Amino acid sequence: MNIGFIGTGHITYSIILGIFKSKLKIKKIFISPRNKIIAKKLSKRFKKVTIARDNQQLINKSSWVFLAITPKVGSKILSKLNFKKSQKIVSFISTINIPQLKKYIGNNIKIVRAIPLPPISNNLGPIPICPPDKQVKGFFSKLGTVIEINNEELSKNFWVTSSMMAAFYELLKLLSDWLVKRGVKRNEAQKYITSLFVALSEDALINSKKDLKYLVKSSQTPRGLNEHVLKYLKKAGFYRRYSKSLNSVLKRLNKV
């Protein structure tokens, strides 16, 4: 199977890295020339990756087309391109829903929306898809953990929570910087903090069938350090503001 990516940014780069670390059998991958640096990097590294002359050539040569562009770019270019009814379109565009996409590319073309995140480069992380699709699920199940969503309106909530990546990394940076200011070497600080949060995440995943309040409770001891930090952050309104940030993103998505 030949596949193509319209948009050659970080997500496309991460997915292609993940493909070549997986057991997926892809004949050829066509990428758009828009980001010359990433496009050249991928084509030099992988023989199966070819930089298309333009987006239309990419579409013509691909069975599946992945839309990895911003909403602004999508609304500008998609209606000018000619897609085939036999193709499957997988969109990563956050604020263009399926009815809108069909207006741009055609009502008779199969469209699935997906939310891949950068850890897909190592075949890790959740990949929500909407609507459920057997072939798309089979593809992404080789790259991470697929979550099928029947309701597109409900899928917005997954787009919202996926927006927490930068905030999460900022927290890791803050903790690492705090250690560095107290004399810990940068590489040691970052190794400790990242390893700590990997371990906590793994523990949460192992216990994911339980209510997460179980982990909140079990990680504290009366008058202990964890209890101290949790109470301090709650009193300061940290978690309330975190929740408000989610509502703010959802409000933005609902405006579209």
Side-chain angles (χ1 to χ4, degrees):
M1 179 174 72
N2 291 344
I3 62 175
F5 289 84
I6 296 179
T8 317
H10 188 45
I11 287 298
T12 292
Y13 182 74
S14 298
I15 293 172
I16 291 176
L17 289 183
I19 286 172
F20 287 107
K21 291 178 183 178
S22 73
K23 294 181 179 180
L24 283 169
K25 294 181 180 179
I26 303 297
K27 186 177 179 181
K28 202 81 175 176
I29 299 176
F30 294 93
I31 57 176
S32 59
R34 182 174 175 83
N35 189 318
K36 293 181 180 180
I37 296 174
I38 294 179
K40 287 182 179 179
K41 191 174 182 180
L42 286 168
S43 64
K44 285 183 179 180
R45 183 169 178 179
F46 304 110
K47 292 181 180 179
K48 290 185 177 182
V49 176
T50 298
I51 303 174
R53 183 178 64 251
D54 52 38
N55 289 327
Q56 190 58 59
Q57 184 192 48
L58 180 157
I59 293 168
N60 294 343
K61 291 180 174 291
S62 303
S63 299
W64 289 18
V65 178
F66 295 84
L67 306 179
I69 47 182
T70 64
K72 185 177 180 179
V73 173
S75 61
K76 184 178 179 180
I77 71 170
L78 291 176
S79 60
K80 299 176 183 178
L81 298 169
N82 296 313
F83 294 85
K84 296 177 285 188
K85 291 181 180 179
S86 60
Q87 285 178 319
K88 186 162 289 188
I89 310 301
V90 182
S91 174
F92 307 148
I93 306 173
S94 61
T95 56
I96 301 182
N97 60 32
I98 291 176
Q100 289 172 316
L101 285 170
K102 285 184 177 291
K103 287 181 181 179
Y104 290 137
I105 67 179
N107 287 317
N108 299 320
I109 299 174
K110 178 67 177 180
I111 301 173
V112 176
R113 297 181 71 194
I115 315 174
L117 302 174
I120 199 172
S121 62
N122 293 308
N123 302 157
L124 295 171
I127 309 162
I129 64 170
C130 179
D133 182 281
K134 187 177 181 180
Q135 289 181 318
V136 174
K137 181 182 180 181
F139 176 88
F140 280 120
S141 65
K142 301 290 193 304
L143 302 175
T145 304
V146 176
I147 299 169
E148 294 182 292
I149 308 166
N150 288 298
N151 186 308
E152 189 175 16
E153 188 66 24
L154 185 64
S155 73
K156 287 182 181 180
N157 300 299
F158 290 85
W159 287 101
V160 170
T161 49
S162 73
S163 69
M164 292 294 108
M165 286 191 301
F168 171 73
Y169 290 131
E170 180 66 21
L171 176 60
L172 301 189
K173 178 181 176 298
L174 182 149
L175 293 170
S176 297
D177 289 346
W178 190 89
L179 287 174
V180 170
K181 287 178 182 178
R182 281 147 187 82
V184 180
K185 292 181 179 179
R186 171 69 62 182
N187 63 332
E188 292 177 353
Q190 293 192 171
K191 185 178 181 180
Y192 173 75
I193 293 301
T194 54
S195 297
L196 171 63
F197 276 79
V198 166
L200 294 174
S201 296
E202 287 285 352
D203 189 42
L205 181 61
I206 291 169
N207 290 282
S208 61
K209 290 185 178 180
K210 300 177 182 178
D211 193 309
L212 286 174
K213 66 182 180 183
Y214 160 80
L215 291 177
V216 176
K217 185 178 180 180
S218 64
S219 62
Q220 302 174 69
T221 53
R223 297 184 180 181
L225 302 182
N226 279 278
E227 183 188 71
H228 176 95
V229 172
L230 183 62
K231 284 184 176 180
Y232 184 93
L233 291 176
K234 282 186 173 182
K235 187 176 180 180
F238 176 83
Y239 298 103
R240 185 171 64 253
R241 288 182 178 273
Y242 217 87
S243 183
K244 283 186 176 181
S245 73
L246 294 171
N247 293 334
S248 176
V249 176
L250 182 60
K251 185 178 179 180
R252 177 178 170 182
L253 291 174
N254 284 332
K255 285 182 179 180
V256 179

